Structures are given as C-alpha cells and as structure tokens.
Amino acid sequence: MRTGVYPGTFDPVTLGHMDIIRRGAKLVDRLVIGVTTNPSKNAMFTVDERMAMMKREVADVSGEIHVVGFDSLLMDFAEREGAGMILRGLRGGGDFEYEFQMVGMNQQLNNRIETVFLMADVALQPIASRWVKEIAMFGGDIHKFVPPGVNADVIARVAQIGRKGS
C-alpha cells in the first residue's frame, strides 16, 4: 500500500490545500493529512479545530484519507505513518526555495521517504492561509479562497476575537 503524508498547519484550510489533497489522493492508496503547529506562525485556530475543519472538508474527497495531528519532526511522523512520500504543494518561486531547503534537510534525516511536489492550480496559486486570515481580520471577503464551511468558521472566529481596523 502506497502511503503519502501531506503536512501543514492548515490555518485555515484553503481551496489551494483542497486542490493538492484531491490531486494527491490519486497518487497514493492512503493519504495522511498531518495537521501540525508552527511556532513561527500566529494560529487563528487550535490544532483540534483545524483537524475538525479538515475532516469535514475531506469527507467527500475520493480515496482513503486520514487526518492526524502531530507535533514532531515531519520525517519521524511520516515514518510512523508508514509513508513512502511527503506531498507538498508549490505556488511559486518563493515556495520552491523554502521547499528545496526543507527537502535537503529531510533527506539527511530519512532518505527512504521521497518528497513529491504538485504545482497548485494557476487560479489558486496566490492563496495563502496568512493572507486569508489578514483579509478576514480587516473585514474583507474570503469566500473565493476557502471552502464555504471554512469561510463560516473564519467569520465566526473574527467576530469572536474582534476585527482589526474597526
């Protein structure tokens, strides 16, 4: 069984993430979506909230998909899940530089697991979770960037924590 891991913070889940998940699920028998924390990012949602969002959003995606939280080195997580590949999405040149360095480090940690890159759909390439959060915090419309359920989740969270610029 070919298992792939698609890791990320997914704070929040975007249409770009969903594009990579749908396409990536066709490349493996089992896709594990690893929801993690990143201390350098300002999270809007907890890991549990992000996992619940992700489970809801992937419910209609074809294939065997599991949503799992992790707080460890990616390569250790991938090994525990029995993955032979790490799936990563690329939006542009800036992503490539960061991902290129990460692949080099990951290969040093575990060279038995390959990294496979998928280019995001051209229409979705500009979407980034950090921009979605910023737009929402300033009262902008994010429905073009996230699934409808996530749109509602973000709007509710912004209402809870307070909008900037008001």
Side-chain angles (χ1 to χ4, degrees), residues 53-127:
M53 260 190 263
M54 183 62 80
K55 286 176 183 176
R56 179 188 67 218
E57 298 305 325
V58 300
D60 68 341
V61 177
S62 297
E64 184 179 336
I65 300 176
H66 301 270
V67 178
V68 179
F70 76 101
D71 189 16
S72 65
L73 287 173
L74 171 58
M75 299 312 274
D76 291 344
F77 173 68
E79 185 82 33
R80 280 194 308 272
E81 291 295 327
M85 85 166 64
I86 305 294
L87 180 63
R88 301 293 293 172
L90 290 176
R91 291 173 298 183
D95 278 358
F96 180 78
E97 286 299 318
Y98 171 79
E99 295 291 344
F100 181 78
Q101 291 177 345
M102 188 174 4
V103 168
M105 294 300 291
N106 285 341
Q107 283 181 342
Q108 295 295 315
L109 295 170
N110 185 336
N111 64 5
R112 296 176 308 280
I113 300 175
E114 292 293 334
T115 300
V116 175
F117 295 104
L118 292 178
M119 290 299 298
D121 181 281
V122 173
L124 303 174
Q125 286 182 8
I127 301 172

Side-chain angles (χ1 to χ4, degrees), residues 29-56:
D29 301 308
R30 178 175 169 260
L31 180 62
V32 178
I33 301 170
V35 180
T36 190
T37 58
N38 184 337
S40 68
K41 293 184 177 180
N42 212 3
M44 178 175 272
F45 297 96
T46 68
V47 171
D48 289 340
E49 289 169 330
R50 289 182 271 138
M51 287 178 57
M53 260 190 263
M54 183 62 80
K55 286 176 183 176
R56 179 188 67 218

